[in-house]
Amino acid sequence: FKDIAKTFELISEIENYHMKVFNEYAKNIDKNEIFRKAEKVNWICRKCGNIVYGTNPPAECPVCHHDIGYFEVFCKYKSIEN
């Protein structure tokens, strides 16, 4: 049972991290800041990996031409310890 308990403990840590991420997404939705930040950040296209620096990503990735929905802030969540 110790192995099972350890597995559930690790799953709990993962889910706590997911909760932090999704709560931040919810705040960004409420503040209309999913694709707009007060300070410049690195945005990465999840389709091709192109990185753009600015307060918002382009409407379309200049490399793979996927829309803004493929961009996310790059390297915001570095550790589950935060």
Side-chain angles (χ1 to χ4, degrees):
F1 288 113
K2 287 185 180 186
D3 289 343
I4 294 171
K6 182 63 177 173
T7 298
F8 277 104
E9 184 179 314
L10 293 171
I11 291 170
S12 175
E13 290 176 18
I14 293 166
E15 291 306 320
N16 281 330
Y17 174 74
H18 289 156
M19 180 181 66
K20 289 178 186 179
V21 171
F22 289 121
N23 282 338
E24 186 155 336
Y25 277 129
K27 289 178 197 172
N28 286 332
I29 289 169
D30 289 342
K31 297 187 302 186
N32 197 26
E33 294 182 354
I34 292 289
F35 298 111
R36 181 180 57 207
K37 303 298 177 194
E39 297 179 18
K40 289 184 176 182
V41 296
N42 287 309
W43 299 89
I44 187 167
C45 175
R46 291 179 289 118
K47 183 66 175 180
C48 72
N50 181 41
I51 298 174
V52 179
Y53 184 68
T55 55
N56 56 293
E60 179 182 278
C61 179
V63 177
C64 70
H65 305 288
H66 278 79
D67 66 43
I68 194 171
Y70 281 82
F71 280 92
E72 67 182 4
V73 175
F74 184 58
C75 291
K76 179 158 179 71
Y77 306 103
K78 294 181 179 165
S79 169
I80 63 170
E81 302 300 316
N82 295 335

